[in-house]
Amino acid sequence: MTYRSLGVLAVMLALAGCGGGSGGDEAAGGGSPEQGPALSRVASEAELKSSLEAGLTTPQGATELALAPVVDSPAGGFTGTYVQQQSVDEFDAVRYDGQHLFVAPRRFMTCCFVLDGLQPAAATAGERAIRILATDPGRASAGEVGRIALAEDVSVQGLYIDAGRLIALTGQAYYGGYGGFWGEVAIWAPERLGVRIYDVGNPAAARETFAATLDGVFVDSRRIGDTVYVLSRHTPNLPTLELPVRDDAQARRNRAALQDVSLQEMLPAIEIDGVRQPLVVATDCYLAGDGGAGYPVITTITAIPIDRPREFRSTCYNAESYGAFVSADAIYLTQFIAASAAAPSGTRIHKFSLDGVAIDYRGSAEIEGQVWQGGQADFRISEHQGRLRVFSSVLGRDRSDSVDHLLYVLEEAGDGRQLRVVGRLPNVRRPQEIGKPDEALYGVRFVGDRAYAVTYLRIDPLYVFDLADPADPRLIGEMTASGFSDFLHPVTDDLLLGLGAADNGGVKVELFDVSDPALPASRGSQVLGGAGSYSEARYDRHAFAYLADVGGVDRFAIPASLAGIDEFAAAPAEGLYLFEIHDKAAPSAARLVSRGVMAAPASAPPAARNRAFIHDDAVFHVRDETVWSASWDDPGELNGPF
């Protein structure tokens, strides 16, 4: 396949217009989406082949994307990987099961844009392996007990750990953080992703029990119970095709090249034990409502039972996916729809129910604005009692206000093809805008029947929404503070923890009392450093560790690299900062308490990846591939490196 150089990633800072269907109860903001977004099940192999051929022979314009600047209660007294949705596990490169740390090597960007003749990304120098370390929380210590060697061309996307089994998701290349880059043709490059399962019951002699390689580029993954779900994208890898198609001459050449190509050659395959077989069955797939014209991309959801991985099931559809939210029994895939002469910009959402390996399409909708484009802005999406709640942002619609934020509540329409908008803000009955003029949307968190949102331009308004009546969502309270929060964590039903930036540029943690949702209030804050300070946990929830109810006190840890700290000359510039929340049972008396910092030695290079795990009174700080530990009560006395 021939790929053309893309140059610099195009980013559009303004979206024109507003999208999505309305109708229904306009005053309450409800209504039904247009019929176009719905998917239809493929009736025959010929129908799917025709659709894919259309996508590979239709000239396409460049896609330009706008970029906007309840964790599981840990069992046994230790923290695992922080997740967005209770009972839905998230993959990460560092895992902890209460006895062992599993540390995968970092991934590196070795190819920024795809050129003709792309080769798999080169591996980093030295031995590449997943390290296994046994922990001793009583002594706040750890030691390596095993390694799982990796091939030189394998990059670990992330890991799951389940009942003595380690599941590794791997790839041959790394394209950087998930987000706007995925809208470019670079991800159509020939690529294969891997799923490997290891028996780590004896960490010193870990052994591989399953290995599969899938055609396509890794997009995202979640684990629910004993099933791992992998989301991938694939474009037919045929040497005579020219992609992307930019003019009629290229389209004609591609049509000629496809004359003698079978459907199986166009669909992704999976290789298990050296045997290749189809990853998807045509009649288990779906077509976009517009027939798929212009979409040379196949999005595939693959369900892999950990106990019986060879009994996987997959479904696919012929359109792109820029984001995914997974609840305990469904996956919602989002796709940004650029404005055209016929329709304004918006976000298309497809829902599939999940039940073990059964994946069933439930319906689609199209809403105004953009939902998310990478990072942990996926907190903008949540499901509660079968209804989807979504924040979206519309840019460039009004010169006096550069951005409008919208809140939607959607549910299945009952016809198996549509998601119906049952509530929306603002609306005719409740016209107040979300945020002040020109304020961007930062931290968002849905908790039960409430939603919290932080917007920011010069001050930090925290908004509280009541979603108890899905047909009539209401803004019920707000407060302002300096700085802003990127990340919100529910401490209790009445307390919310915010992590973000202070007005001086430092890292800020703040405790909010939301026991009276009409009058939220701050119960104190802590600021680390000044201008130029940074915490990875602001942008990656897996860098945040939270352990509830340790003798009536909650503990949490965040990594931070501090700058502009002349007034804090005694504080280390980089480390893991420890905090406690006291008196959470009485929200008006709740307070933040700083417990110090685990600071790496001055000789240690700056860390590109930080993870923390709290186990009883021990803290383990994983800096890149190296582990340090300390007692919670004496974080300045480090053990390591391990």
Side-chain angles (χ1 to χ4, degrees):
M1 186 187 296
T2 302
Y3 295 91
R4 299 180 180 274
S5 175
L6 295 175
V8 179
L9 175 65
V11 177
M12 181 177 71
L13 296 179
L15 295 175
C18 57
S22 55
D25 185 355
E26 183 179 353
S32 299
E34 299 175 359
Q35 297 299 308
L39 303 177
S40 58
R41 184 179 283 273
V42 170
S44 66
E45 292 188 356
E47 183 182 30
L48 180 56
K49 185 173 187 293
S50 176
S51 175
L52 292 175
E53 287 176 343
L56 293 166
T57 58
T58 302
Q60 305 156 28
T63 300
E64 295 181 321
L65 305 170
L67 301 180
V70 176
V71 63
D72 280 322
S73 298
F78 67 90
T79 61
T81 297
Y82 191 96
V83 298
Q84 175 187 9
Q85 183 75 17
Q86 189 173 8
S87 76
V88 180
D89 193 11
E90 301 180 10
F91 69 100
D92 193 32
V94 182
R95 302 304 301 249
Y96 184 51
D97 66 358
Q99 294 181 309
H100 296 94
L101 286 163
F102 301 86
V103 184
R106 285 165 293 159
R107 300 153 66 205
F108 295 89
M109 176 82 80
T110 57
C111 170
C112 295
F113 298 97
V114 175
L115 306 176
D116 292 342
L118 174 74
Q119 298 298 317
T124 56
E127 180 187 0
R128 293 177 54 77
I130 300 171
R131 302 184 65 214
I132 307 175
L133 298 95
T135 62
D136 183 348
R139 301 175 59 188
S141 183
E144 183 174 308
V145 294
R147 287 192 169 215
I148 300 173
L150 299 170
E152 287 299 305
D153 63 346
V154 168
S155 169
V156 176
Q157 314 284 343
L159 305 170
Y160 295 107
I161 183 70
D162 176 61
R165 296 164 298 189
L166 184 71
I167 300 94
L169 307 176
T170 66
Q172 294 174 311
Y174 173 44
Y175 297 99
Y178 181 80
F181 188 71
W182 292 81
E184 292 294 332
V185 71
I187 67 154
W188 300 347
E191 161 72 318
R192 307 182 76 192
L193 63 100
V195 178
R196 292 170 167 81
I197 301 178
Y198 301 93
D199 181 346
V200 292
N202 179 1
R207 61 186 183 88
E208 185 178 273
T209 61
F210 176 79
T213 304
L214 291 67
D215 292 341
V217 175
F218 175 84
V219 174
D220 210 342
S221 175
R222 294 291 186 271
R223 180 179 69 88
I224 302 175
D226 290 331
T227 305
V228 170
Y229 298 93
V230 177
L231 182 66
S232 59
R233 302 170 53 135
H234 171 76
T235 287
N237 178 22
L238 303 172
T240 53
L241 288 181
E242 300 177 35
L243 293 176
V245 180
R246 296 301 191 208
D247 55 46
D248 291 337
Q250 281 182 266
R252 286 193 297 272
R253 291 193 293 271
N254 278 1
R255 276 193 290 271
L258 289 169
Q259 289 296 315
D260 299 319
V261 175
S262 69
L263 176 62
Q264 293 306 318
E265 293 176 272
M266 302 172 70
L267 294 177
I270 182 172
E271 183 175 313
I272 302 175
D273 300 329
V275 178
R276 282 178 65 82
Q277 59 182 289
L279 179 63
V280 295
V281 175
T283 51
D284 286 340
C285 293
Y286 296 83
L287 298 178
D290 53 11
Y295 293 118
V297 174
I298 300 168
T299 295
T300 303
I301 308 167
T302 302
I304 303 173
I306 301 173
D307 290 328
R308 308 174 311 282
R310 291 169 177 80
E311 299 177 19
F312 70 91
R313 288 273 302 276
S314 296
T315 191
C316 73
Y317 66 96
N318 63 329
E320 301 156 313
S321 172
Y322 294 130
F325 167 76
V326 181
S327 69
D329 57 10
I331 181 170
Y332 296 85
L333 305 180
T334 64
Q335 176 189 358
F336 174 69
I337 305 298
S340 67
S345 61
T347 294
R348 190 168 291 175
I349 302 172
H350 302 298
K351 177 182 180 179
F352 292 82
S353 65
L354 304 175
D355 183 6
V357 296
I359 307 170
D360 294 315
Y361 173 64
R362 302 300 300 175
S364 302
E366 192 167 311
I367 62 174
E368 295 183 38
Q370 184 170 316
V371 176
W372 73 298
Q373 198 62 43
Q376 56 188 23
D378 55 347
F379 280 114
R380 289 183 174 204
I381 312 177
S382 174
E383 184 193 77
H384 182 60
Q385 296 179 344
R387 295 185 178 91
L388 185 69
R389 295 91 62 87
V390 183
F391 279 98
S392 67
S393 299
V394 182
L395 305 182
R397 182 159 71 177
D398 184 344
R399 290 186 178 181
S400 64
D401 183 4
S402 63
V403 59
D404 291 329
H405 307 297
L406 309 173
L407 172 60
Y408 286 91
V409 181
L410 303 98
E411 66 181 10
E412 293 183 23
D415 61 359
R417 289 176 53 81
Q418 301 293 330
L419 301 179
R420 181 173 66 94
V421 176
V422 295
R424 167 178 163 161
L425 282 178
N427 59 55
V428 173
R429 184 184 301 165
R430 305 186 188 280
Q432 181 180 344
E433 293 193 357
I434 300 172
K436 307 296 189 294
D438 298 324
E439 287 184 339
L441 182 62
Y442 285 85
V444 170
R445 198 67 188 253
F446 292 91
V447 183
D449 287 331
R450 287 189 194 171
Y452 303 95
V454 172
T455 61
Y456 179 77
L457 182 63
R458 295 182 180 87
I459 58 173
D460 168 15
L462 170 68
Y463 294 97
V464 184
F465 300 86
D466 182 355
L467 308 179
D469 181 354
D472 187 22
R474 298 182 299 134
L475 172 60
I476 56 174
E478 64 179 276
M479 64 160 285
T480 58
S482 61
F484 62 89
S485 298
D486 298 287
F487 172 73
L488 299 173
H489 169 78
V491 177
T492 67
D493 289 342
D494 296 326
L495 290 172
L496 193 68
L497 179 67
L499 170 63
D503 54 4
N504 72 341
V507 175
K508 181 182 181 181
V509 291
E510 187 162 9
L511 189 61
F512 299 102
D513 177 357
V514 291
S515 57
D516 182 352
L519 294 171
S522 174
R523 295 305 175 208
S525 64
Q526 300 263 350
V527 176
L528 306 174
S533 298
Y534 168 84
S535 175
E536 187 179 347
R538 288 177 55 191
Y539 311 105
D540 185 347
R541 55 181 168 267
H542 297 162
F544 177 79
Y546 195 98
L547 184 63
D549 295 322
V550 182
V553 170
D554 286 11
R555 294 172 171 177
F556 69 94
I558 60 169
S561 178
L562 307 186
I565 53 174
D566 291 344
E567 66 271 37
F568 303 102
E574 182 177 344
L576 184 71
Y577 289 79
L578 313 184
F579 296 90
E580 293 179 345
I581 297 176
H582 289 222
D583 302 318
K584 68 177 184 178
S588 62
R591 55 197 173 95
L592 281 171
V593 176
S594 174
R595 291 305 306 267
V597 57
M598 289 176 60
S603 59
R609 182 185 69 194
N610 290 275
R611 296 293 185 266
F613 301 94
I614 307 168
H615 191 156
D616 295 333
D617 290 327
V619 187
F620 299 95
H621 182 194
V622 184
R623 302 180 75 255
D624 296 331
E625 291 83 23
T626 302
V627 179
W628 300 81
S629 61
S631 165
W632 183 268
D633 294 322
D634 190 10
E637 188 66 31
L638 288 185
N639 298 320
F642 304 110

